[in-house]
Amino acid sequence: MLIFFAIFQFPHGFCRKNKENFFMKIVEIKIMRGPNYWSVRRPKLIQMKLDLEEMEELPSDKIPGFKEKLEKMLPSLYVHRCSEGVPGGFFTRVAEGTWMGHIIEHVALELQTLAGMETGFGRTRTTGKKGEYYVVFDYMEEEVGDYAARAAFNLVKSLIDDSFYNLDEDVQQLRVIRENTRLGPSTGSIVEEAEKRGIPFIRLNKQSLVQLGYGIHQKRIRATIAGSTSCIAVDIAGDKEETKRLLGNAEIPVPKGRIIYPEETAQDAINDIGFPLVFKPVDGNHGKGATTNITTLEQAEKALEAARFYGRKVIAERFITGYDFRLLVINYKFICAALRTPAAVSGDGIHTIQWLADEVNKDPRRGYGHEKVLTQIKIDSFTQKMLDDKGYTLETIPAKGELVLLKPTANLSTGGTSADVTDEVHSINIFLAERIAKIIGLDICGIDIMASDLKTPLFDNGGAVLEVNAAPGFRMHVEPSEGLPRNAAEPVVDMLYPKGTNGRIPIIAITGTNGKTTTSRLTAHICKTAGYKVGFTTSDGVYIQNQLMMKGDCTGPKSAEFVLKDPTVDFAVLECARGGILKNGLAFSHCDIAIVTNVTEDHLGLGGIQNIQQMAQVKAVLPETVFPHGFAILNADDDLVYAMRKTLDCKVALFSMDENNPRIKQHCKKGGMAAVFEHGYVSIMKGTWKIRIEKVSEIPITYGGKAMHNIMNTLPSILASYMFRNIKVEDIKLALQTFIPSTTQTPGRLNLFQFKNFKFLADFAHNPAGLNLLCDFVNRLDSTYKVGIISGTGDRRDDDIREIGRISAKNFDEIIIRQDKNLRGRTADEIIGLLVEGINESKTTDIPITILHKEKEAILYAYNNVKPGSIITIMCDVIPDALEFIKNLKEEEDKV
C-alpha cells in the first residue's frame, strides 16, 4: 500500500483556528488491471483513496484565485467537458465550486494526455466516510498512472499553498516511465493484433516476454521472436560470419569480407579487402559498434576499437554503396520492405549543425522514444564520432544542400526515417528474401540489403545482403514516415493462431457470498470426470489437475492468472471473491460461464462497500464479462442476483430450489434453461423439457438431502457443466456420485467426523447467512446435545458479529467462543463482548458459555467435556490446522 502525506499551508486571506492540523492526504493507491467494480469495459484504472480532512469544507470556489491559477497551469483542461457537456465545462464546475478529489481526477488525466497518452475516463465517489473519496481514472501504463496520481495531487497542492510546481518536469518523467515500462512498438503491435482477434495475452515480465492465449493453447513471443522460432536459426543470425558463409554457399550475393581476430589489426583487413570498408562486431545488433564507409587507416583503427568494445571478433566487409533496405519475411513469406535513412540534416549555408538538428526535432511527427512516428535525434558519442571523421563540430555550418549524417545506422530509434517500398520489390528479390529465410531457418526474419534499388534483381544492380536479423523491428513498417503502413503483426498472429483459433480455454468463473468454494470444487470435479485437465482456484488453494500448487485464500486475480498461465491446463474453474475484484479487478476480460450463488450481508463496510446493493454490483462484475454466446447462471431465489440479468449482454440461465418459482417457469416458458430441485432430484430444465440428473439421496455432499445448501450448490454446477457439448449427462452423474464430503475433496466444508459416542462437524461458515445454513444442516442430524464453537470476524460490522451470537443461541445448547488468529483491527474482548450481547439478546434459556482464545484449546475442551450423543460444530479459522487436529483426536480414539 502506498501512503503519502502532504501538509498544506493555508492560502492568504483564510481564517482558521488550528493551522497545524490543516492537511489532506493520499491514503492508498490501488491499480486495477482487469474488469472491476468501476468499469468492466475499462479494466486499466487507478483507484486513489483521498482523505480531504479539512479540505472537505473548502471546495474550489472557497479558495481565492484557485480557478485562475489552474487555468494558467493547465489551459488544456478547457477541453474537459465534465458534467456540463461542453468545452470549458470543467472550469465552470471549478468556478461554481467542486471538491479537490474531482479536480485531482481531471488533472491526472490531463497530465497523461500531455505526455502523449490519451485517457479520458474518470470517477470521483465518496467512500462512505465524510471527506474521504475514491478518485478513479484510466491509464495506459500502470506505473505512469501511479505517478500521475501523485503528480496530480502535488500539482493541486501547489495551487492551494502557492508553492512552486514544475509541470514540464513531471510530464517528461511520465514519458520516461512510459518508455521504460511499455511494450516496444513491435511487441505491442503483435499484442494489439491478437487482442483484435479476441486472443488474450499475459505479460510475463517487465520486458518483452508475452504469453498469447491461455493454458495449453498459449504461445509465447519475446519482441518479434516467437516460441516457434528456431533457436539454431537465431544463433546463426546472431553470428554474422556464419550467416554470410551460409548465404554465400547458397549463391546469395554478399559483400566480400573476413573476420578480424583479436591478434590481428585493421591493416590486415585492408590488405585483404581494400577500401571502402565496414567494421562491425560479430555478435552486434541494432548497429552498435558499426562503422561504415571507412576510407583511411586512421578511420579503420578507430572503427576497430569501437567494434571491439562490443566483442573481440569483428567483421570487416567491403562497403557497398547504395541505399539501405529492410525486407521482412514472416512464416517464410515476403511481407513488406522499407527504405531506411539514417538521422541527418541538410545544410542551408547559414545555420550550424546543432541548429539544423534542433529544427528537425521540431517536426511534430518526432517525439520522445516511440511515442510518435519518428524519434527525436539525440546528439551522442556516435554523432560526435561521425562529425569528427569529417572534421566537423556541432557549430559547423554545412553548405547548402549538403547532407550531414548524424548516425552511422538507419535505425528509427536513433532518429532515422523509413519509407515503404513494398510495391516496388522485384519478384526475383522476393524469391531471394523467402529463400534466405529458409536457408537460415528463421520464421520471422529481417533481411538488410544495400542496393541502388529493389526494382531490379540484386544480381543485376550489384546489391548485396548485409545481414539477416532475428527479432526484426516492425516500427519502420507499421509506422513508416513515408508510404503505406503495413500490418506486419497480422502474419505473425496468423502463423501462431490459424483462422478459427483464438488461443482460449473454457473458463467458468464463480462468485457469491456463500457456497462458491463448494460450487467451484464440484464444477472442477465434473469437468475432470469428463476428461478435461482442469486448473481451479478456491479459498483454500490453487489446484492443477487436482494437485495442490498454492495454499491459502487463492480467490484473487494472481491465482487465476496462475491457472491461465499453466501450459497443461485445458479448462479453468475460477473462484472469484469480492476482495480480489475490489483490489485489482479480474485476471481475465471474458469468461464462458459466470455463476453467482447469492448475495448476503457480509464484508459490508470494507473497501468502500457500504450496503448490500453495492455488494451486488461487485458480484455482478463476473456475469458482465461473459461472452455474448456464453451464459450467466443466476440464483432465481435471490432478488439481487436475479436482477443482474437486466444489464447483461450474454445469455442467462437460472437455478432454484423450487421448480415452481415463477421466475423459473416464466424463463423456461420462453425456451430458457434452468436447474431445479424437484421431487428429490436435481434436474435441468430445457424449455418445458426436464432432464433428471441424479437423486439427491445419491449425491454424497448433500448427506442424503439433509444439507440443503449443498443441494443448492449442486444446481449451478450441473447447469454450467451441461452447457459444454463434451460433458455428457453420464459424466455429470458419475461426478456427483464420486464427489465425497471429506478433508480431501471439500476441506472445511461440512467435514463430519464420527467418533464413538458423538460427532464433530467442521465448517468454514464465517458470516450470519453461512451459519444459518450450517445450523439448518446440524438440526437435521440426529443428536441429543448441540455444542457450537463460534467466533466473530474483527473487520465485520458490530451487528454482524452480534448476529453470529443470536443465531448460535437459537441453535446450540452450549457455546464455546474462540478467537481467530487475525483479529482484524479489534481486540479479543471487543469481539467476545459483541458475541455475548447477541447470545443474550436471543437465548430463551441459560446457555453455558466458555471463552477460550485459541482454536485448538476450544476443540480440545469440547472433546474432553463432550456428552454422549452430542454433535460439536466448529466455525473453522485455519482450516488445515483444525482438520488435522480433529483427525489426530479421531486416530487416538481409534487406537483405544
Side-chain angles (χ1 to χ4, degrees):
M1 179 184 296
L2 302 174
I3 301 179
F4 308 94
F5 295 90
I7 306 299
F8 279 71
Q9 265 190 338
F10 215 91
H12 178 71
F14 278 89
C15 294
R16 57 189 176 83
K17 295 181 179 179
N18 191 346
K19 184 175 180 178
E20 289 72 17
N21 292 331
F22 181 73
F23 60 93
M24 70 179 183
K25 63 186 178 187
I26 297 174
V27 179
E28 66 179 10
I29 294 175
K30 290 181 178 178
I31 299 173
M32 303 293 142
R33 302 182 180 93
N36 55 76
Y37 176 68
W38 302 102
S39 177
V40 171
R41 305 303 173 212
R42 297 179 180 88
K44 299 167 71 171
L45 298 175
I46 295 294
Q47 176 186 294
M48 175 170 59
K49 185 189 287 188
L50 183 67
D51 190 346
L52 296 186
E53 299 204 351
E54 289 188 31
M55 290 300 296
E56 172 69 3
E57 308 301 328
L58 295 170
S60 54
D61 63 321
K62 302 295 184 184
I63 304 174
F66 182 86
K67 173 179 176 289
E68 291 72 22
K69 287 184 285 186
L70 181 61
E71 285 180 313
K72 183 178 180 181
M73 178 74 77
L74 286 173
S76 52
L77 281 171
Y78 179 78
V79 301
H80 289 222
R81 295 170 176 262
C82 202
S83 58
E84 301 295 314
V86 295
F90 173 64
F91 282 135
T92 300
R93 290 290 308 278
V94 174
E96 293 172 349
T98 189
W99 275 259
M100 290 302 122
H102 181 212
I103 293 169
I104 289 172
E105 168 205 323
H106 280 266
V107 170
L109 290 169
E110 188 58 24
L111 288 175
Q112 293 180 86
T113 299
L114 291 174
M117 291 161 279
E118 289 292 337
T119 54
F121 176 81
R123 295 285 185 273
T124 300
R125 299 290 185 269
T126 178
T127 66
K129 177 182 175 183
K130 183 179 179 181
E132 195 173 78
Y133 295 88
Y134 286 126
V135 177
V136 179
F137 58 89
D138 59 346
Y139 65 86
M140 293 180 68
E141 303 298 328
E142 63 181 58
E143 290 185 34
V144 171
D146 179 84
Y147 190 94
R150 291 179 279 119
F153 177 86
N154 291 331
L155 186 153
V156 172
K157 170 189 178 297
S158 74
L159 298 180
I160 295 172
D161 63 15
D162 285 321
S163 62
F164 173 74
Y165 176 78
N166 192 326
L167 175 63
D168 292 339
E169 184 177 289
D170 267 346
V171 170
Q172 178 59 23
Q173 185 60 24
L174 289 171
R175 293 190 182 107
V176 171
I177 295 171
R178 177 199 59 210
E179 292 304 306
N180 290 340
T181 58
R182 75 170 176 175
L183 292 172
S186 301
T187 315
S189 68
I190 297 173
V191 169
E192 184 178 344
E193 180 65 26
E195 284 191 290
K196 288 178 183 176
R197 301 191 191 188
I199 300 169
F201 79 96
I202 300 173
R203 191 170 180 177
L204 298 177
N205 65 10
K206 291 186 176 181
Q207 287 75 48
S208 56
L209 183 62
V210 175
Q211 172 185 315
L212 301 178
Y214 290 150
I216 62 168
H217 299 309
Q218 65 180 264
K219 308 286 186 181
R220 290 180 181 173
I221 60 170
R222 187 197 294 272
T224 59
I225 294 179
S228 59
T229 303
S230 163
C231 178
I232 294 175
V234 173
D235 189 57
I236 292 172
D239 186 332
K240 292 179 173 55
E241 183 64 16
E242 183 67 15
T243 299
K244 185 178 171 183
R245 186 186 66 78
L246 286 173
L247 296 182
N249 291 343
E251 297 299 325
I252 302 294
V254 293
K256 180 183 178 183
R258 54 160 289 189
I259 294 285
I260 305 176
Y261 292 95
E263 63 274 12
E264 294 185 298
T265 66
Q267 187 64 60
D268 295 320
I270 295 169
N271 293 340
D272 288 349
I273 304 171
F275 292 118
L277 285 169
V278 174
F279 283 0
K280 53 189 174 183
V282 168
D283 300 320
N285 56 44
H286 300 296
K288 293 177 180 176
T291 305
T292 61
N293 198 19
I294 300 166
T295 56
T296 68
L297 175 60
E298 182 182 3
Q299 289 177 352
E301 289 173 341
K302 289 182 180 180
L304 182 60
E305 182 181 356
R308 280 178 170 164
F309 180 80
Y310 294 95
R312 298 182 65 192
K313 292 193 294 183
V314 174
I315 290 179
E317 291 178 345
R318 171 71 68 134
F319 178 64
I320 306 296
T321 58
Y323 295 102
D324 184 348
F325 295 98
R326 164 66 64 84
L327 278 67
L328 182 65
V329 177
I330 296 173
N331 204 16
Y332 307 107
K333 296 293 183 183
F334 170 73
I335 302 301
C336 51
L339 168 64
R340 304 186 299 174
T341 305
V345 294
S346 180
D348 61 3
I350 300 173
H351 296 99
T352 66
I353 292 172
Q354 180 68 68
W355 187 93
L356 294 169
D358 291 341
E359 283 299 298
V360 170
N361 282 336
K362 290 179 182 178
D363 184 339
R365 296 178 300 166
R366 291 190 182 270
Y368 180 81
H370 297 136
E371 73 173 331
K372 296 183 179 179
V373 173
L374 297 173
T375 299
Q376 290 190 341
I377 300 171
K378 181 181 178 182
I379 304 300
D380 57 15
S381 58
F382 292 105
T383 308
Q384 296 290 354
K385 180 179 180 302
M386 295 195 71
L387 295 179
D388 290 344
D389 291 344
K390 292 178 66 70
Y392 285 2
T393 71
L394 290 172
E395 299 306 311
T396 298
I397 299 175
K400 186 174 182 179
E402 179 184 357
L403 187 69
V404 180
L405 297 181
L406 301 180
K407 301 292 177 184
T409 60
N411 292 319
L412 269 66
S413 59
T414 59
T417 61
S418 68
D420 178 73
V421 294
T422 303
D423 298 331
E424 300 177 4
V425 183
H426 193 281
S427 59
I428 291 179
N429 291 335
I430 291 174
F431 165 75
L432 275 178
E434 293 176 348
R435 185 164 174 258
I436 288 167
K438 281 285 189 180
I439 291 168
I440 303 302
L442 276 178
D443 57 1
I444 303 175
C445 177
I447 302 167
D448 291 343
I449 292 175
M450 186 68 72
S452 58
D453 61 70
L454 294 178
K455 298 176 183 178
T456 55
L458 296 188
F459 300 113
D460 297 340
N461 64 25
V465 175
L466 304 183
E467 289 184 15
V468 178
N469 299 277
F474 286 179
R475 185 184 176 201
M476 69 186 77
H477 307 295
V478 174
E479 294 183 317
S481 45
E482 295 179 31
L484 190 67
R486 306 288 175 169
N487 187 354
E490 182 179 34
V492 174
V493 179
D494 283 341
M495 178 180 72
L496 298 176
Y497 291 102
K499 289 183 178 180
T501 61
N502 60 16
R504 292 185 176 273
I505 60 175
I507 297 176
I508 298 178
I510 300 163
T511 193
T513 304
N514 293 305
K516 54 187 178 293
T517 296
T518 299
T519 303
S520 298
R521 284 183 165 277
L522 177 56
T523 304
H525 182 69
I526 296 172
C527 297
K528 177 178 177 292
T529 302
Y532 285 103
K533 295 177 180 178
V534 184
F536 63 100
T537 63
T538 71
S539 57
D540 53 74
V542 176
Y543 296 80
I544 303 296
Q545 300 183 52
N546 268 19
Q547 179 65 46
L548 178 64
M549 305 303 298
M550 295 171 61
K551 291 183 179 179
D553 186 348
C554 296
T555 56
K558 288 184 179 179
S559 302
E561 190 176 273
F562 182 92
V563 169
L564 298 174
K565 289 194 294 190
D566 192 284
T568 69
V569 168
D570 61 9
F571 204 112
V573 178
L574 306 174
E575 180 181 347
C576 303
R578 56 102 223 162
I581 296 172
L582 290 174
K583 185 177 181 180
N584 296 119
L586 298 175
F588 50 88
S589 59
H590 292 91
C591 63
D592 299 277
I593 292 177
I595 296 171
V596 185
T597 58
N598 47 66
V599 178
T600 64
E601 292 188 342
D602 192 23
H603 296 98
L604 299 184
L606 302 176
I609 305 304
Q610 304 300 327
N611 55 59
I612 194 170
Q613 288 76 24
Q614 289 179 320
M615 184 61 72
Q617 291 175 28
V618 176
K619 306 294 186 183
V621 171
L622 245 69
E624 289 176 6
T625 66
V626 176
F627 284 113
H629 62 268
F631 280 88
I633 299 179
L634 307 177
N635 186 348
D637 299 335
D638 186 307
D639 293 344
L640 290 170
V641 176
Y642 180 68
M644 293 177 187
R645 75 195 190 287
K646 298 176 182 177
T647 60
L648 301 180
D649 296 324
C650 63
K651 299 176 183 178
V652 173
L654 303 174
F655 66 95
S656 172
M657 291 291 285
D658 178 10
E659 69 167 328
N660 293 313
N661 183 325
R663 294 167 175 172
I664 295 291
K665 297 180 77 171
Q666 181 184 19
H667 177 72
C668 292
K669 186 177 180 180
K670 295 178 180 179
M673 293 185 64
V676 296
F677 174 47
E678 51 86 26
H679 296 93
Y681 286 86
V682 288
S683 302
I684 290 175
M685 306 287 293
K686 291 181 68 177
T688 57
W689 294 97
K690 186 182 296 181
I691 303 171
R692 284 183 169 170
I693 303 297
E694 183 57 286
K695 285 183 178 180
V696 166
S697 59
E698 299 298 320
I699 303 174
I701 62 165
T702 71
Y703 286 93
K706 294 183 177 70
M708 299 298 290
H709 61 291
N710 270 351
I711 299 175
M712 179 176 285
N713 293 335
T714 301
L715 296 175
S717 290
I718 65 171
L719 188 54
S721 307
Y722 186 80
M723 302 294 186
F724 294 93
R725 292 181 180 178
N726 293 337
I727 301 179
K728 308 301 182 185
V729 170
E730 292 77 14
D731 298 323
I732 300 172
K733 185 172 183 176
L734 178 60
L736 293 178
Q737 294 169 352
T738 56
F739 191 65
I740 311 300
S742 63
T743 57
T744 302
Q745 285 192 308
T746 60
R749 272 72 185 175
L750 293 193
N751 298 142
L752 188 62
F753 298 85
Q754 181 66 59
F755 285 74
K756 290 178 180 178
N757 297 315
F758 69 97
K759 299 181 183 73
F760 217 126
L761 178 64
D763 194 271
F764 187 57
H766 58 282
N767 56 52
L771 183 57
N772 264 322
L773 294 171
L774 178 61
C775 289
D776 177 76
F777 173 62
V778 170
N779 291 331
R780 294 171 187 268
L781 297 176
D782 293 332
S783 66
T784 58
Y785 192 76
K786 295 188 284 291
V787 179
I789 302 176
I790 69 170
S791 65
T793 307
D795 60 2
R796 302 308 199 269
R797 299 174 303 177
D798 289 0
D799 203 55
D800 294 333
I801 299 174
R802 289 191 193 96
E803 187 63 15
I804 295 289
R806 296 185 192 110
I807 295 168
S808 300
K810 292 176 183 177
N811 291 280
F812 297 121
D813 301 307
E814 180 181 345
I815 296 173
I816 300 170
I817 299 176
R818 62 154 189 86
Q819 292 304 304
D820 288 349
K821 278 189 174 181
N822 185 353
L823 298 179
R824 305 192 186 196
R826 292 187 189 261
T827 66
D829 289 342
E830 275 186 277
I831 297 172
I832 292 167
L834 291 168
L835 288 170
V836 171
E837 284 181 27
I839 293 169
N840 290 335
E841 288 176 18
S842 186
K843 69 180 182 180
T844 56
T845 60
D846 286 338
I847 298 176
I849 299 175
T850 303
I851 298 172
L852 297 166
H853 287 279
K854 294 184 178 178
E855 187 168 64
K856 288 184 179 180
E857 290 177 358
I859 294 171
L860 192 58
Y861 176 86
Y863 175 79
N864 289 331
N865 294 277
V866 67
K867 297 177 181 180
S870 296
I871 179 167
I872 303 169
T873 303
I874 177 171
M875 299 170 62
C876 293
D877 177 19
V878 183
I879 293 172
D881 294 352
L883 295 180
E884 185 65 26
F885 192 63
I886 295 170
K887 282 195 291 185
N888 289 339
L889 292 175
K890 179 76 167 62
E891 289 170 4
E892 289 298 319
E893 182 185 81
D894 291 343
K895 292 177 183 178
V896 179

